[in-house]
Amino acid sequence: MKIIRNPGFLFLFFYLLGFLGDSPVDAAVKKYQFDVQMKNVSRLCNRKPMVTVNGMFPGPTVYAREGDRVIINVTNHVQYNMSIHWHGLKQYRNGWADGPAYITQCPMQTGQSYVYDFNVTGQRGTLWWHAHILWLRATVYGAIVILPQQGNSYPFPQPYQETNIILGEWWNGDVETAVNQANQLGSAPQMSDAHTINGKPGPLFPCSEKHTFVIEVEAGKTYLIRIINAALNDELFFGIAGHNMTVVEIDAVYTKPFTTKAILIGPGQTTNVLVKTDRSPNRYFMAARPFMDAPVPVDNKTVTAILQYKGIPNTVLPTLPNLPLPNDTSFALDYNGKLKSLNTPNFPALVPLKVDRRLFYTIGLGINPCPTCVNGTNLAASINNITFIMPKIALLKAHYFNTPGVFRTDFPDRPPKPFNYTGVPLTANLGTSTGTRLSRVKFNTTIELVLQDTNLLTVESHPFHLHGYNFFVVGTGVGNFDPKKDPAKFNLIDPPERNTIGVPTGGWAAIRFRADNPGVWFMHCHLEVHTMWGLKMAFVVENGKTPELSVLPPPKDYPSC
């Protein structure tokens, strides 16, 4: 096996020296060109054409510093419509650069370009970017690394080097074809054929010894590993054989450090860990496999990469880490319970203590009639029993220009009728209502939102992502949320702050945020299969009282539908 010396280490080294990007005069502007193009890629003894950015899989890493302006010109050379989301960037007043197709923009059609122009304000850490249309994010994704402002250091020991690990999924066939076939049937698409680490499945898969990501390390050093879950449908456990990891950041927010043998990371989430190379020099597998504690089929195969100490020959067989069992609910709950904001004077946890508006959203699956489907029905998903219908023009544009008839603003604050949400599985009366219904929010409102899983068809863990905001996870629990008893247990001091929260299987999560970013902001399950079925909605946050608290005008090259 050929060692691929990690280019991320070298790349970051030159970046930190200031050799990357523009001249020192305009160093605060980082410019990138993203060409969306087809590329033939071989994995698992299969070769197929697939959509990439700049012919890379995964795509290029976007590097910036806190406070920088980033300008990314995206040109679409493929037959699919395209839009790209900069996952976790708040895009203050600038939803035009957020990226979800038909929510904040019309997609780029073949031959079109669009410039994503945004400021990185008050954020530093690991985020990521991905296609936000169809299932194209299966191959169109990459890391975003936001370094602290010049002169500022990490609130943890300075690592010797750092690298990115992006967890993904691989299908041997064409993903869009599989999705279209599933929609014609009214069922779920086929599962992926493998998971990947930086686009590579590792030597446990056929034809994959050469498709293995290797980090070469020196003994006695501390490394920062930025881990991103870009998988479409799987929460994943990740660990390194023989080595502990110290969690120091989630979703680009510093945490109180804690040490663990494995992490749990949902689709859309990021986790930064410190790893000390203090074991006997050897080759160690880094591995990931799914967590699923509900009766739902998943691609349960293990992806591996290699942590290799310098001087160790490639002939040495690596050892595997002991990852939690695939259905280890107690590990998942315990791990998530350890996540807490750093909450220091430099990095305070500004949890809203007074709540202006309380929302209670149930998450469920359903079955709706489908005369054109082979099955006569199709699977659906809903929030408060509403399956979201995507509009034909961008919601943000319709909001900004007051275009009538595109959406309604009567999304309910609670489900149509209470029931025993997490009791025995409910398999009758599973129809949902449909519509493009949004929730209107006054500027600067403080919101508490309880996301409640339900046993409609089956309970399942749902990673929910809110665009345009971070939020504080003030509480989670198993079973039905109790509005009388559970709030007394909320953590209002140092709760984890993030942009994507895993709602526990058969349980609930309570989040709080201040609606101080005007615009239209998407909220959806980050399991692509559930998003496709309608497990999504959006908030319309009104402008504040001054132009400085209002949505910016759209850019001149804003795409039209």
Side-chain angles (χ1 to χ4, degrees):
M1 183 188 303
K2 178 184 173 189
I3 288 188
I4 304 162
R5 288 200 178 12
N6 183 5
F9 285 157
L10 196 62
F11 195 68
L12 187 67
F13 174 72
F14 284 114
Y15 182 90
L16 291 167
L17 288 180
F19 294 144
L20 181 73
D22 306 288
S23 65
V25 176
D26 57 355
V29 178
K30 301 295 185 298
K31 295 180 180 178
Y32 290 86
Q33 173 63 37
F34 275 24
D35 286 300
V36 181
Q37 55 194 214
M38 300 302 292
K39 169 95 171 177
N40 286 322
V41 176
S42 296
R43 297 287 186 274
L44 272 62
C45 321
N46 283 274
R47 185 172 176 82
K48 69 172 184 178
M50 66 187 209
V51 185
T52 68
V53 168
N54 298 351
M56 298 167 66
F57 174 60
T61 299
V62 173
Y63 286 94
R65 283 196 183 277
E66 180 184 351
D68 282 355
R69 179 182 176 190
V70 178
I71 300 173
I72 303 175
N73 183 61
V74 179
T75 303
N76 184 17
H77 303 281
V78 302
Q79 72 269 32
Y80 300 105
N81 287 350
M82 177 56 63
S83 72
I84 293 183
H85 171 51
W86 316 94
H87 184 115
L89 282 164
K90 294 178 186 175
Q91 306 287 11
Y92 184 63
R93 303 170 53 216
N94 186 29
W96 315 109
D98 190 40
Y102 302 105
I103 305 297
T104 59
Q105 69 168 88
C106 295
M108 287 161 273
Q109 297 171 28
T110 305
Q112 288 185 332
S113 296
Y114 182 46
V115 175
Y116 292 93
D117 186 344
F118 53 84
N119 295 317
V120 181
T121 306
Q123 293 182 272
R124 82 295 304 162
T126 307
L127 296 171
W128 65 299
W129 59 265
H130 60 83
H132 212 303
I133 183 169
L134 304 173
W135 282 41
L136 293 174
R137 75 175 182 88
T139 59
V140 179
Y141 61 84
I144 301 174
V145 173
I146 307 167
L147 298 167
Q149 286 178 321
Q150 203 82 43
N152 291 356
S153 60
Y154 297 127
F156 47 80
Q158 181 70 24
Y160 174 63
Q161 287 179 330
E162 54 184 79
T163 193
N164 306 330
I165 283 184
I166 311 182
L167 308 171
E169 288 183 84
W170 171 268
W171 279 260
N172 285 330
D174 180 71
V175 179
E176 294 306 321
T177 301
V179 171
N180 291 338
Q181 288 171 344
N183 284 336
Q184 287 166 8
L185 286 170
S187 60
Q190 68 185 64
M191 289 181 297
S192 56
D193 295 291
H195 292 96
T196 57
I197 291 177
N198 292 347
K200 299 173 168 63
L204 303 187
F205 287 91
C207 305
S208 297
E209 193 167 338
K210 64 182 176 181
H211 298 304
T212 300
F213 180 70
V214 180
I215 302 175
E216 191 177 66
V217 296
E218 292 182 29
K221 305 288 187 184
T222 298
Y223 291 81
L224 176 65
I225 302 181
R226 302 173 181 270
I227 305 162
I228 298 162
N229 187 350
L232 275 75
N233 295 307
D234 292 332
E235 291 185 275
L236 295 165
F237 292 122
F238 174 87
I240 306 173
H243 295 73
N244 288 327
M245 297 174 288
T246 301
V247 176
V248 292
E249 178 198 302
I250 53 171
D251 292 4
V253 179
Y254 296 131
T255 62
K256 288 184 169 66
F258 68 94
T259 300
T260 182
K261 290 192 181 306
I263 68 164
L264 175 62
I265 184 166
Q269 294 182 334
T270 68
T271 304
N272 284 10
V273 299
L274 294 175
V275 176
K276 290 184 178 176
T277 50
D278 54 3
R279 300 304 159 116
S280 59
N282 209 329
R283 300 173 85 221
Y284 297 91
F285 270 135
M286 303 180 284
R289 73 175 177 210
F291 163 60
M292 174 53 74
D293 59 351
V296 176
V298 292
D299 172 10
N300 62 1
K301 296 181 281 295
T302 301
V303 57
T304 54
I306 296 174
L307 184 84
Q308 180 157 337
Y309 283 66
K310 279 189 178 173
I312 300 299
N314 295 348
T315 51
V316 175
L317 288 175
T319 53
L320 272 168
N322 290 318
L323 292 175
L325 292 173
N327 62 349
D328 194 339
T329 305
S330 62
F331 178 92
L333 295 173
D334 181 62
Y335 174 82
N336 284 324
K338 292 176 182 173
L339 297 171
K340 291 181 172 30
S341 290
L342 192 58
N343 193 26
T344 61
N346 286 337
F347 305 104
L350 303 174
V351 189
L353 300 179
K354 175 179 160 288
V355 174
D356 299 324
R357 188 167 159 199
R358 286 184 163 82
L359 309 176
F360 183 78
Y361 287 2
T362 53
I363 304 161
L365 302 179
I367 299 175
N368 285 333
C370 177
T372 60
C373 295
V374 174
N375 298 339
T377 59
N378 64 351
L379 287 164
S382 67
I383 302 173
N384 283 353
N385 207 46
I386 297 166
T387 296
F388 190 84
I389 302 297
M390 295 296 275
K392 298 288 191 285
I393 71 166
L395 297 174
L396 179 60
K397 181 179 181 181
H399 166 60
Y400 186 84
F401 291 105
N402 292 311
T403 309
V406 178
F407 62 87
R408 290 158 50 181
T409 56
D410 60 350
F411 192 91
D413 287 0
R414 50 198 54 81
K417 61 179 183 183
F419 60 98
N420 181 8
Y421 307 114
T422 56
V424 295
L426 301 167
T427 55
N429 302 317
L430 292 172
T432 67
S433 62
T434 59
T436 310
R437 298 169 67 180
L438 280 60
S439 180
R440 185 177 289 280
V441 178
K442 287 195 168 120
F443 182 82
N444 219 33
T445 300
T446 52
I447 288 180
E448 179 180 288
L449 166 59
V450 175
L451 294 162
Q452 172 73 61
D453 186 30
T454 65
N455 209 347
L456 294 162
L457 282 183
T458 178
V459 289
E460 190 173 347
S461 176
H462 297 274
F464 257 75
H465 173 48
L466 175 60
H467 291 230
Y469 292 92
N470 281 356
F471 49 75
F472 293 96
V473 185
V474 295
T476 59
V478 176
N480 297 339
F481 175 73
D482 186 332
K484 292 192 174 72
K485 293 181 182 174
D486 287 325
K489 298 178 248 175
F490 283 176
N491 176 4
L492 303 178
I493 307 297
D494 57 358
E497 180 185 347
R498 54 191 331 165
N499 61 59
T500 305
I501 172 63
V503 179
T505 301
W508 55 270
I511 66 173
R512 287 187 184 184
F513 65 97
R514 180 179 294 277
D516 55 2
N517 189 7
V520 176
W521 302 107
F522 206 20
M523 188 179 76
H524 60 96
C525 181
H526 222 277
L527 302 179
E528 209 62 36
V529 64
H530 291 171
T531 302
M532 174 177 80
W533 291 340
L535 197 52
K536 49 197 172 186
M537 57 82 65
F539 293 101
V540 185
V541 180
E542 296 175 351
N543 287 335
K545 292 181 179 174
T546 66
E548 293 76 29
L549 301 175
S550 302
V551 177
L552 294 164
K556 291 192 171 80
D557 64 339
Y558 184 66
S560 57
C561 291

